[in-house]
């Protein structure tokens, strides 16, 4: 599946915001409808950037995108699973499955924005048409488990029960990554072209939804607000016109970001962690074990152009081993320190700079809490490190 790296839109449509979830902080959005909607026919569409691969899912699937809980183990859920990072949408009544589609396709790219559409219509006479899952505009037809719902089944979705985005209100259920532009359509089975299109390069990109009513319990989440109340000023504000605003749990204004499918940011890359490294906060934070020297890398590899990023050192060791900089990816060793490695250009903790094994004076020592900006100009072949108010080249 292609990674969307930036604006390349046929229609000129841009997504301005996303919401970052940290699975370690039990963050989620939720709503309980005041009246039941169409429990047979509905569509969920969302852009998903998954920055954490699942490891444990007891008692519920980890990395939950949508969950409707009726109690008594009667629920529906859309989530990434721990058995190789597949995607599953399921329904249960008293712990027994009444439908379950689990993909063979894996979802492990922490740099990619996936567009996921789940479209349900249990009134369809053909079983395989009742529940359809699309990723980046393409319908998935290969499943590890394929149990379609019975005709005219009424689900927990759109019932007067708690509905969650980004969690299932249980431990080991919370999503880690970014969600953007979530549509929930009550009463219609939509197709992906209602929400996206292919650009001139064949990459799937978002477009403005013009497909009609959201229905009784439908909503549209753009994450343009920063409040924590369940209203039009909150993070969970519904901008569909239905005023079905979602409640906010453990999310704050700092979690509203501009990392989106049309403006994709680099994060730390958990696929190359080395040992003794724990990633959190949607892969914007990393913690290494005591006395561990590890090289952390970003999710976007560059070869030309101008780039800038910042690194905040919450805690640095006392042995002057910390460093920030760049290195040729072909010579990368994530199980060691970047300093002294081939084709590495770094700013050392003690204020010096280093290129390969050559070390010379440069700037100011950085300590706990300091932020180092890195400005890389590959067109001119220069790199600039910025420490607080000090700017040296």
């Amino acid at each position: 599946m292609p990674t969307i790296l930036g604006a390349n839109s046929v229609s000129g449509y841009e997504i301005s915001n996303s919401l970052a979830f940290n699975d370690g902080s039990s963050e989620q959005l939720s709503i309980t409808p005041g009246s039941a909607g169409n429990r047979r026919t509905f569509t969920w569409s969302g852009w998903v950037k998954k920055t954490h691969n699942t490891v444990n899912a007891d008692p519920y699937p980890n990395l939950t995108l949508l969950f409707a809980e009726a109690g008594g183990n009667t629920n529906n859920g859309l989530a990434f699973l721990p058995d190789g990072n597949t995607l599953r949408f399921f329904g249960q009544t008293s712990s027994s499955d009444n439908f379950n589609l689990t993909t063979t396709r894996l979802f492990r790219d922490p740099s990619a924005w996936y567009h996921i559409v789940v479209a349900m219509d249990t009134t369809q006479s053909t079983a395989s048409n009742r529940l359809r899952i699309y990723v980046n505009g393409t319908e998935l037809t290969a499943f590890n488990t394929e149990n379609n719902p019975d005709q005219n089944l009424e689900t927990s979705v759109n019932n007067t029960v708690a509905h969650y985005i980004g969690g299932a209100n249980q431990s080991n259920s919370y999503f880690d990554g970014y969600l953007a532009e979530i549509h929930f359509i009550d009463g219609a089975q939509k197709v992906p072209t209602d929400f996206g299109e292919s650009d001139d390069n064949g990459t799937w990109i978002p477009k403005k939804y013009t497909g009609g009513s959201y229905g009784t319990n439908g909503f549209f989440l753009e994450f343009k607000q920063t409040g924590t109340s369940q209203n039009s000023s909150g993070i969970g504000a519904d901008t569909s016109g239905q005023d079905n605003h979602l409640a906010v749990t453990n999310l704050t204004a700092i979690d509203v970001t501009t990392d989106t499918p049309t403006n994709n940011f680099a994060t730390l890359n958990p696929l190359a962690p080395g040992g003794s490294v724990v990633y959190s906060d949607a892969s914007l934070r990393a913690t290494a074990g005591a006395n561990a020297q590890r090289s952390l890398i970003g999710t976007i590899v560059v070869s030309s152009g101008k780039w800038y990023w910042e690194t905040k050192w919450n805690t640095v060791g006392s042995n002057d081993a910390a460093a920030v900089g760049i290195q040729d990816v072909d010579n990368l060793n994530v199980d060691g320190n970047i300093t002294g490695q081939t084709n590495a250009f770094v700013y050392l903790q003690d204020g010096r700079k280093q290129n390969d094994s050559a070390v010379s004076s440069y700037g100011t020592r950085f300590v706990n809490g300091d932020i180092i900006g890195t400005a890389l100009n590959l067109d001119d072949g220069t790199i600039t490190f910025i420490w607080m108010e000090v700017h040296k080249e």
Side-chain angles (χ1 to χ4, degrees):
M1 296 180 188
T3 301
I4 296 176
L5 294 178
N8 189 19
S9 179
V10 174
S11 60
Y13 185 69
E14 300 286 332
I15 296 177
S16 59
N17 292 90
S18 70
L19 189 60
F21 290 79
N22 176 23
D23 62 353
S25 299
S26 303
E27 298 170 351
Q28 63 186 15
L29 301 171
S30 62
I31 188 171
T32 300
S35 61
N38 192 325
R39 296 170 57 190
R40 299 174 180 177
T41 306
F42 54 84
T43 301
W44 187 96
S45 167
W47 290 85
V48 181
K49 184 176 177 180
K50 176 176 173 282
T51 58
H52 180 212
N53 289 328
T54 56
V55 293
N56 184 22
D58 185 23
Y60 291 112
N62 205 352
L63 300 187
T64 303
L65 302 177
L66 170 68
F67 193 78
E69 183 177 31
N73 292 318
T74 297
N75 45 61
N76 298 157
L78 172 65
F80 295 106
L81 293 181
D83 57 346
N85 299 283
T86 55
L87 180 67
R88 177 173 79 148
F89 187 52
F90 74 98
Q92 291 183 335
T93 300
S94 300
S95 298
S96 296
D97 281 356
N98 44 40
F99 64 87
N100 181 352
L101 291 188
T102 302
T103 67
T104 58
R105 178 169 288 180
L106 307 181
F107 299 84
R108 297 183 294 191
D109 185 350
S111 70
W113 278 96
Y114 300 106
H115 180 224
I116 297 173
V117 176
V118 174
M120 175 80 87
D121 182 1
T122 65
T123 69
Q124 295 280 342
S125 58
T126 302
S128 60
N129 289 339
R130 296 172 196 156
L131 173 55
R132 310 180 79 163
I133 300 177
Y134 306 86
V135 177
N136 293 350
T138 300
E139 184 170 10
L140 302 187
T141 57
F143 299 98
N144 288 328
T145 302
E146 185 176 7
N147 296 324
N148 287 293
D150 291 339
Q151 190 171 20
N152 295 318
L153 173 74
E154 291 201 335
T155 68
S156 296
V157 175
N158 269 325
N159 200 0
T160 54
V161 301
H163 290 57
Y164 300 96
I165 299 290
N169 207 37
Q170 297 282 342
S171 61
N172 298 321
S173 74
Y174 296 100
F175 182 68
D176 199 280
Y178 302 82
L179 299 180
E181 191 138 302
I182 295 176
H183 297 268
F184 179 66
I185 314 295
D186 176 0
Q189 186 184 45
K190 296 294 184 178
V191 293
T193 50
D194 285 308
F195 313 100
E197 60 189 349
S198 294
D199 70 5
D200 294 339
N201 298 317
T203 300
W204 188 254
I205 59 175
K207 75 174 187 181
K208 183 177 178 63
Y209 174 72
T210 57
S213 171
Y214 281 81
T216 302
N217 294 322
F219 52 79
F220 179 29
L221 304 180
E222 296 183 271
F223 307 121
K224 290 186 175 181
Q225 305 298 325
T226 58
T228 55
S229 298
Q230 190 175 1
N231 56 32
S232 60
S233 298
I235 293 171
D238 169 26
T239 57
S240 72
Q242 294 297 100
D243 289 332
N244 292 320
H245 309 300
L246 276 67
V248 178
T249 301
N250 297 331
L251 291 155
T252 64
I254 198 172
D255 297 311
V256 177
T257 82
T258 54
D259 184 346
T260 75
T262 53
N263 188 27
N264 193 15
F265 288 9
T267 67
L268 296 172
N269 191 339
L271 297 184
S276 306
V277 177
V278 176
Y279 292 87
S280 60
D281 289 340
S283 287
L284 295 180
R285 180 189 298 264
T287 304
N291 301 316
Q293 294 191 8
R294 300 289 182 261
S295 294
L296 310 179
I297 65 174
T299 52
I300 296 178
V301 177
V302 297
S303 58
S304 62
K306 299 178 177 67
W307 306 85
Y308 178 80
W309 64 95
E310 293 180 349
T311 307
K312 181 178 181 180
W313 296 91
N314 293 308
T315 304
V316 293
S318 58
N319 59 353
D320 288 342
V324 60
I326 62 171
Q327 185 183 16
D328 187 336
V329 68
D330 292 332
N331 296 296
L332 183 66
N333 174 20
V334 295
D335 287 314
N337 197 309
I338 191 175
T339 57
Q341 293 190 28
T342 303
N343 290 337
F345 299 82
V346 299
Y347 181 13
L348 302 172
Q349 179 184 345
D350 63 10
R352 297 179 298 164
K353 65 179 179 179
Q354 185 171 15
N355 173 209
D356 292 347
S357 60
V359 179
S360 59
S361 61
Y362 181 71
T364 303
R365 171 188 293 274
F366 54 89
V367 297
N368 293 351
D370 282 352
I371 296 175
I372 306 298
T374 304
L376 176 64
N377 186 339
L378 289 171
D379 296 335
D380 293 340
T382 63
I383 185 169
T384 301
F385 297 106
I386 304 162
W387 173 83
M388 302 296 285
E389 300 299 326
V390 177
H391 185 168
K392 303 196 70 173
E393 294 187 282

